[in-house]
Amino acid sequence: MTSTKNKNSFSVDKQIPFSLSQSEIKLPPALTARFDLYPENKRRPVNKTVFKNEYFQLTYNMKDNSLNISSQGDLVYSAIPYDTARNYIQRAAIQYLLYPEAARQYIESHKKNLETYLKLSIFQITNKRVNRNSPKVVQAYNAIFEDPLLEIQILGRLLQHDETGALSANLAGKFLFSENVKTGISGYVSEYLHFAVQLTQALPIMTDGKTIRLLESELQDDVIADNHLTFESDIEAALALLPQDVKQTIKNSIVIRKQIVPGNNKLLLRSEFGKELSEVRKNYVAHSVDPGELEQYFENVLPEENTNLINVVSDIHTTAGKLPFINNNFNILAGDLHDSHLEEEIEGLCVIGNHDLVNVLPKSENKENEEWQKWRPFFKYEWFQELVLNPDDSWYKLPIGNHIYYECVKAELEKRFPKMNVLNNNSIIHKGIRYIGLTIPVALAKRKKKQQAFIFKSLKYLLNEEHSIPTVIVSHAPLFNELSMLSQNSRAYEKNYVCSEPKIMALFEQFNIIGAIHGHHHILASSGRYKIVNFAGKELFVVCSIYSKMNTGFELTHLLEVENQITR
């Protein structure tokens, strides 16, 4: 995001970027003293209220030392069942406050895609098809820019579209003003804006709509600061565009710090509409379509090229026969490169993912065919038979990562990516950093003991008594929970997949291991690209950079520089 000095000069690839994951936050005494202001904290051992108003609260998680904003329960975010865009819309709200003109430009750059959504929305409510240039589509498109609260929502929906793929369910409520007013989202947005400004005026807090940081955060830099709302942010341009009642409420928050002034926008409250909401959700019939099937109807308006010097990306899963992004520098590809035959002269290193194990195999179903010759020694294994016939049922049966099969996969990948270093339990040095690539295609939680015995043995051999060289460990699935970006709230999270081998911790203590990189879990870009963790008595970075149209790669260089400064 650009600085506040020039709000409209940023390049397309840096429009409304997703912020980085926050490290653990240690609240200063002035903020922990606020716990006593809220009686509910006496019965809350984990999530302590730090600040709240009528509808929202800022809480501090005592276990993972994180700050979070949440609605208090009565305020309904959306009447649309299974509406997953709240984090995107909250982020859009903050970016709109900071850069309203840039937000509009971002929306306008998606005009063709928006027209497609509006056509589908009109069809969903009228059962009549219209073309892109029809008066109804033109009118619906113009209506977006006549209501700032709808404009914020559309911005959030487009951020979601660019990250996760095309949307399909309940489009009318998401894109048509006439239907959107029934969802209650505008009321939610207006109250969220009010709370965000009220919070940042009252406390030394900064937020981008997802992450919360202390103003004195060690990770704060110009890019992060410009992308976050603080008490110093210039939001006058956005206030001039917002509805008068929302504008006045926010202005009152600025002038009269902690005074709460309710807005006039219609709110959707459970206490008033609980029964109606239950009926809507009980009778809800989903009509969503897989995003992959919809991609043909939408175009990618975002740049494919990035200039990261050390570019980290994973889980590309390309089916188009070519990589969907361009980087001519050094790339770290953390597995699952392709779901079809792919050959590229991209430079860098890669590790083996579970999908790569399947996609190097011949496409011919005739196992007597000559191209199957090199794979025949594996026919005797049950896991290989499953891998060929039904890959999704085979993952948990895969051999621990020192099997000869992985060498055969590596050889095939090297043919397809002649300039890549395919690391199958080996290492390379690039610009003074040692990268160890371990073959961990999936998290074998039920075979954790054997998996970690393999990790220890491989690391000990590859570290090779060279204690001082900065080292980064790359694998497709994370090594274990302590070095994973996967949230404990995820259905894929295995609480027992922790490091239980003391010898591994000892290696981390003895050697200059500065971070780990993984993929596999398809963690959304909005959740952040990295975090700083404490493991084996020191701080390490963990990076997970899943490919999406909003994220063609993560620049690792600055993390390497920070870690090298710490270890010197």
Side-chain angles (χ1 to χ4, degrees):
M1 186 61 71
T2 56
S3 69
T4 53
K5 294 180 180 178
N6 188 348
K7 297 186 178 182
N8 302 309
S9 63
F10 57 90
S11 61
V12 175
D13 65 319
K14 291 187 178 177
Q15 293 179 13
I16 325 251
F18 291 118
S19 71
L20 309 174
S21 297
Q22 57 190 340
S23 63
E24 290 187 344
I25 295 171
K26 303 296 185 182
L27 284 190
L31 291 185
T32 55
R34 294 185 59 87
F35 293 168
D36 295 334
L37 298 177
Y38 303 99
E40 63 268 27
N41 285 335
K42 293 180 179 179
R43 63 179 186 274
R44 289 182 179 176
V46 178
N47 290 311
K48 302 286 190 180
T49 301
V50 181
F51 185 87
K52 70 177 181 179
N53 70 6
E54 186 177 359
Y55 297 113
F56 285 89
Q57 60 187 351
L58 175 72
T59 58
Y60 180 69
N61 187 297
M62 303 290 285
K63 283 188 175 180
D64 59 21
N65 301 313
S66 64
L67 288 164
N68 298 284
I69 293 176
S70 60
S71 57
Q72 292 199 64
D74 196 29
L75 180 62
V76 177
Y77 151 63
S78 172
I80 300 173
Y82 310 110
D83 190 344
T84 58
R86 172 160 35 184
N87 284 338
Y88 296 96
I89 290 174
Q90 290 178 179
R91 180 157 302 194
I94 297 300
Q95 299 310 312
Y96 187 90
L97 271 185
L98 297 173
Y99 306 102
E101 290 185 39
R104 177 162 294 191
Q105 291 169 6
Y106 189 88
I107 294 172
E108 290 173 340
S109 73
H110 288 69
K111 184 178 181 182
K112 287 186 178 180
N113 288 337
L114 266 175
E115 289 171 342
T116 300
Y117 277 127
L118 293 170
K119 286 167 52 181
L120 294 169
S121 298
I122 292 168
F123 176 73
Q124 283 185 3
I125 61 172
T126 66
N127 207 30
K128 295 180 180 179
R129 299 192 182 278
V130 294
N131 60 45
R132 189 184 300 276
N133 299 318
S134 73
K136 287 186 176 180
V137 172
V138 173
Q139 182 182 16
Y141 179 79
N142 291 334
I144 293 170
F145 304 104
E146 294 170 4
D147 184 336
L149 298 177
L150 176 60
E151 191 172 351
I152 288 169
Q153 294 175 55
I154 297 299
L155 175 60
R157 304 288 182 190
L158 292 176
L159 291 175
Q160 183 180 27
H161 167 102
D162 287 330
E163 181 181 319
T164 65
L167 317 177
S168 61
N170 298 90
L171 294 180
K174 296 172 181 176
F175 290 94
L176 296 180
F177 177 82
S178 60
E179 303 304 307
N180 181 262
V181 294
K182 307 171 187 176
T183 66
I185 305 174
S186 287
Y188 180 94
V189 170
S190 66
E191 287 300 326
Y192 178 80
L193 287 169
H194 171 212
F195 180 77
V197 173
Q198 189 181 35
L199 171 65
T200 53
Q201 289 291 315
L203 301 179
I205 293 292
M206 57 196 296
T207 180
D208 66 348
K210 172 63 176 177
T211 58
I212 315 293
R213 299 176 187 275
L214 298 175
L215 280 177
E216 63 270 23
S217 167
E218 292 180 3
L219 291 177
Q220 184 176 337
D221 57 33
D222 290 340
V223 174
I224 292 176
D226 284 352
N227 198 30
H228 284 62
L229 179 70
T230 74
F231 73 96
E232 293 182 313
S233 298
D234 178 6
I235 59 174
E236 286 298 323
L239 289 180
L241 299 173
L242 291 170
Q244 183 60 33
D245 55 342
V246 179
K247 173 183 176 180
Q248 192 57 50
T249 299
I250 292 175
K251 278 188 169 290
N252 287 341
S253 293
I254 296 173
V255 176
I256 315 171
R257 294 284 175 98
K258 298 180 185 178
Q259 181 177 332
I260 299 172
V261 182
N264 296 321
N265 289 283
K266 183 64 177 175
L267 302 178
L268 193 58
L269 304 176
R270 286 186 177 86
S271 57
E272 297 179 17
F273 301 100
K275 187 175 181 180
E276 291 89 336
L277 283 169
S278 295
E279 287 298 317
V280 168
R281 289 168 181 173
K282 183 173 70 174
N283 299 319
Y284 174 68
V285 178
H287 53 268
S288 58
V289 180
D290 186 280
E293 297 179 23
L294 293 173
E295 283 187 358
Q296 59 182 310
Y297 302 108
F298 296 89
E299 63 178 33
N300 181 16
V301 301
L302 302 173
E304 295 180 349
E305 185 170 6
N306 72 59
T307 57
N308 295 340
L309 296 178
I310 301 179
N311 187 51
V312 182
V313 69
S314 69
D315 297 81
I316 301 164
H317 291 284
T318 185
T319 58
K322 68 182 186 70
L323 290 174
F325 71 93
I326 300 169
N327 180 283
N328 295 319
N329 297 314
F330 189 83
N331 292 269
I332 298 175
L333 307 182
D336 280 5
L337 280 68
H338 55 121
D339 287 339
S340 65
H341 190 87
L342 173 67
E343 295 182 11
E344 287 271 354
E345 292 201 351
I346 189 171
E347 296 186 24
L349 67 88
C350 71
V351 294
I352 298 170
N354 51 308
H355 283 253
D356 302 318
L357 301 178
V358 181
N359 295 312
V360 297
L361 296 174
K363 299 307 175 186
S364 171
E365 295 183 4
N366 181 7
K367 302 302 185 294
E368 300 302 318
N369 195 303
E370 186 177 343
E371 58 186 356
W372 277 96
Q373 179 65 36
K374 65 181 291 185
W375 307 103
R376 284 185 186 137
F378 305 109
F379 284 7
K380 61 184 178 182
Y381 297 115
E382 180 186 353
W383 60 264
F384 184 79
Q385 296 171 24
E386 289 275 9
L387 189 69
V388 173
L389 296 176
N390 194 358
D392 288 341
D393 289 337
S394 73
W395 305 136
Y396 73 98
K397 298 179 181 179
L398 291 176
I400 302 297
N402 57 2
H403 198 277
I404 186 61
Y405 180 70
Y406 298 130
E407 274 299 310
C408 294
V409 173
K410 173 185 175 180
E412 187 63 31
L413 289 174
E414 286 173 335
K415 294 178 188 175
R416 301 186 183 192
F417 303 97
K419 293 186 177 181
M420 293 293 286
N421 295 277
V422 183
L423 301 184
N424 173 37
N425 308 321
N426 52 350
S427 66
I428 64 165
I429 295 177
H430 175 72
K431 293 189 175 180
I433 305 294
R434 173 171 53 190
Y435 296 93
I436 291 178
L438 297 184
T439 297
I440 306 179
V442 292
L444 297 175
K446 293 183 178 180
R447 287 187 280 159
K448 179 182 68 172
K449 187 175 181 179
K450 289 184 178 179
Q451 180 95 309
Q452 293 186 9
F454 151 73
I455 292 172
F456 168 72
K457 183 178 179 180
S458 300
L459 286 180
K460 185 177 181 181
Y461 174 76
L462 294 168
L463 289 166
N464 194 30
E465 297 301 326
E466 297 170 330
H467 289 78
S468 61
I469 183 170
T471 301
V472 177
I473 301 171
V474 187
S475 58
H476 180 58
L479 301 178
F480 28 74
N481 289 344
E482 290 88 343
L483 299 180
S484 171
M485 286 284 291
L486 187 65
S487 167
Q488 294 184 26
N489 297 323
S490 170
R491 287 182 295 178
Y493 186 83
E494 289 275 358
K495 67 178 181 179
N496 295 321
Y497 192 63
V498 294
C499 182
S500 56
E501 175 52 77
K503 293 179 181 178
I504 293 178
M505 296 184 196
L507 289 178
F508 275 78
E509 291 172 355
Q510 297 162 15
F511 289 83
N512 189 14
I513 300 172
I514 62 176
I517 296 170
H518 74 88
H520 187 56
H521 288 298
H522 292 219
I523 298 167
L524 297 180
S526 58
S527 298
R529 288 284 149 238
Y530 82 85
K531 66 180 180 181
I532 306 298
V533 302
N534 288 302
F535 180 73
K538 59 183 179 181
E539 288 192 342
L540 305 169
F541 65 73
V542 180
V543 173
C544 181
S545 192
I546 307 293
Y547 169 77
S548 73
K549 291 177 181 178
M550 279 293 287
N551 163 47
T552 60
F554 172 79
E555 174 61 88
L556 189 66
T557 302
H558 77 283
L559 274 182
L560 296 176
E561 291 171 349
V562 169
E563 290 295 335
N564 276 328
Q565 289 171 3
I566 292 172
T567 55
R568 281 180 192 145

